[in-house]
Amino acid sequence: MNQADAYRLMGTVNSLLHEWALAAKNCKLGLSMLSASVSKSQNGDMIASADDIVTTMITITQSIFEAFLHLPDEIQSAKDAFRMHLLAQQAAAEVGYGDLSDMFRKELKNEGEEEVRQLLLLNKDATLPIVDSAQVQESLNIYQSMLEETLKYGMHYVELDINGGAANDNRDILYEGSLRSVIGSLYLDLNEPWKARDELENAVQLLEEGIQLVDSGKYEVTGDDGIPLTYSLRLDLAHVLHSLSYTYLALMQWEKSHDAFDQAMDIYQSQLLEGESPMDWNSIATTTSSTRESTSMTDRLLNYLFRATEDIDLEDFQQIDNTTA
C-alpha cells in the first residue's frame, strides 16, 4: 500500500510538471500495486483499511485518466481509466464495500436523484471547489445577462426560400448553445451541479441541432472577418459532453457520466488532427487564411458569427429547399 501511494505521488508530481507519459506510467504502476494489496486483503492479510484502499483507488484512477487526456492516441486508454474511476467512486458510495476485488467488474448504475440531493446538500460545505467564487459569480452574471438578451431580442439567421425571400427567421441555436455551455460550466465551478446539468444538457441539444443545420447547408460558420472556418463544431460538442460527464459524476449518475464521456471521446477520436489530444484540441481552430487560437471554447465560440449563407445562386436555394422538403 505504501509503495502504491509512493507511485501515486510520483505521478502527481509528473502531472504538475506536465510529464503526462511518466504520470500515466507511475500511476498505473501504483494501481497495479494497489490491486495486489486488495488481493492480499481479501485473503485475510489485512494491509490497509477498505476506506484507504478505495480512497487511493479514486485518486490514482483520476490521475491516470487525466494524464491520458493530455496524450495523443490514448483516447481508449482514457476511456478505460475513466470507467475504473467511476467504479471506484461508485464503490465509495456503497454502504459496506463488499468484495473489493470485484470492484472493477461491476456494472455502472445511477444513484437515486433524491438520495443524492440530500447527501450533497449535507456535504455541500465540505465539497466546495477551490475557485474564486466572487469572480466566477461575476462571470456567471455576465453570461446570464447575455443569454437573457439573446432570448428577449433574439440573435437570428434567415433561412431563404427558392425565390430569395425569407422563409423562416430562426434564433441562432449555436450561439445560444455556446452561452448555455459556459453558464453550465460556471455553475459546476460554484458547486451547483443540478443547475449545471440543466444548462449543459440544453447546450448539447442546441449544438447538435445547430450542427445538423450547418451540415445541411442552411448557414455557414464564419469568423469575425467573414472568412469561413475549417474548424469542426463537433469539437465544441465534445467539450460540452466532456463537462457534462463531470457534472453527472458530481451527481453520482455513474452510468450517465460514463456515456457522456464516451461520446465526447468518440468525437475527439474522429475530429482531432494527428498528434493532438483532447486537452489541446483548441489549437485546431483555423480559417482559410490564418490559424486562430483561443484559451477556451467559450471565448472562441462567442467571437464567431453564425450567419446565413450569403451570395448563393438560385441552384443553391434549390438545394436548401430540397433538404427541408
Side-chain angles (χ1 to χ4, degrees):
M1 179 72 181
N2 289 336
Q3 279 187 312
D5 209 38
Y7 274 104
R8 177 187 65 82
L9 291 172
M10 288 171 61
T12 300
V13 172
N14 293 139
S15 295
L16 292 172
L17 296 173
H18 293 183
E19 298 170 343
W20 305 115
L22 280 174
K25 178 182 177 180
N26 284 324
C27 287
K28 285 178 69 177
L29 282 171
L31 181 61
S32 177
M33 292 177 179
L34 192 60
S35 298
S37 296
V38 171
S39 297
K40 291 180 179 179
S41 296
Q42 295 304 129
N43 292 331
D45 187 6
M46 185 58 66
I47 295 176
S49 69
D51 281 341
D52 288 342
I53 290 173
V54 173
T55 299
T56 306
M57 282 283 191
I58 289 173
T59 57
I60 206 166
T61 52
Q62 179 175 338
S63 296
I64 293 171
F65 84 73
E66 287 179 347
F68 279 132
L69 286 174
H70 285 86
L71 295 171
D73 304 319
E74 291 288 0
I75 285 178
Q76 185 57 52
S77 298
K79 291 168 72 170
D80 293 341
F82 187 70
R83 185 175 188 277
M84 294 174 70
H85 179 68
L86 289 174
L87 286 166
Q89 291 272 14
Q90 181 175 264
E94 293 176 352
V95 178
Y97 296 111
D99 184 359
L100 290 180
S101 65
D102 195 42
M103 180 193 307
F104 295 134
R105 291 193 291 272
K106 292 185 177 181
E107 295 296 321
L108 290 166
K109 298 180 180 179
N110 300 320
E111 303 289 343
E113 287 207 19
E114 187 54 38
E115 290 84 352
V116 172
R117 185 179 296 274
Q118 295 301 321
L119 179 63
L120 294 185
L121 287 175
L122 181 65
N123 297 308
K124 184 177 177 65
D125 292 338
T127 57
L128 286 174
I130 303 175
V131 297
D132 185 339
S133 297
Q135 184 177 1
V136 173
Q137 185 63 56
E138 182 180 358
S139 297
L140 178 62
N141 293 340
I142 291 171
Y143 284 110
Q144 284 179 322
S145 296
M146 292 171 67
L147 179 61
E148 290 171 4
E149 291 292 312
T150 298
L151 296 177
K152 182 176 181 180
Y153 299 108
M155 176 171 283
H156 301 271
Y157 72 91
V158 176
E159 180 182 333
L160 302 176
D161 64 21
I162 190 171
N163 297 315
N168 294 293
D169 186 14
N170 301 305
R171 83 183 196 273
D172 193 331
I173 54 178
L174 283 171
Y175 181 79
E176 181 183 338
S178 71
L179 287 173
R180 291 189 182 277
S181 71
V182 184
I183 292 170
S185 296
L186 292 172
Y187 272 132
L188 190 58
D189 284 342
L190 291 172
N191 199 33
E192 298 191 50
W194 291 281
K195 292 180 180 179
R197 177 195 60 185
D198 292 344
E199 293 296 345
L200 291 171
E201 285 181 343
N202 275 333
V204 168
Q205 181 178 348
L206 290 165
L207 288 174
E208 287 178 337
E209 292 175 4
I211 288 170
Q212 289 179 0
L213 288 172
V214 172
D215 288 345
S216 69
K218 299 269 178 81
Y219 58 66
E220 66 183 7
V221 185
T222 67
D224 291 341
D225 52 10
I227 298 176
L229 298 174
T230 59
Y231 165 74
S232 173
L233 287 170
R234 285 172 175 79
L235 287 171
D236 289 327
L237 176 59
H239 180 86
V240 180
L241 285 165
H242 195 171
S243 297
L244 185 58
S245 71
Y246 294 157
T247 304
Y248 286 140
L249 189 157
L251 292 171
M252 304 169 74
Q253 303 299 293
W254 316 121
E255 186 178 7
K256 287 183 177 181
S257 178
H258 176 262
D259 290 345
F261 190 87
D262 257 23
Q263 290 179 56
M265 293 303 112
D266 287 344
I267 295 173
Y268 285 134
Q269 185 78 63
S270 67
Q271 299 296 315
L272 288 173
L273 299 179
E274 184 177 355
E276 296 286 349
S277 71
M279 295 309 292
D280 57 15
W281 61 273
N282 59 311
S283 65
I284 299 173
T286 61
T287 67
T288 54
S289 62
S290 62
T291 299
R292 292 172 177 267
E293 296 189 7
S294 136
T295 56
S296 70
M297 174 206 65
T298 303
D299 294 335
R300 188 172 61 254
L301 259 183
L302 296 183
N303 284 322
Y304 290 170
L305 300 177
F306 300 87
R307 303 188 181 94
T309 302
E310 298 177 353
D311 300 323
I312 53 179
D313 58 24
L314 189 62
E315 183 177 349
D316 292 320
F317 290 137
Q318 181 66 59
Q319 291 174 356
I320 291 174
D321 188 65
N322 289 339
T323 63
T324 59

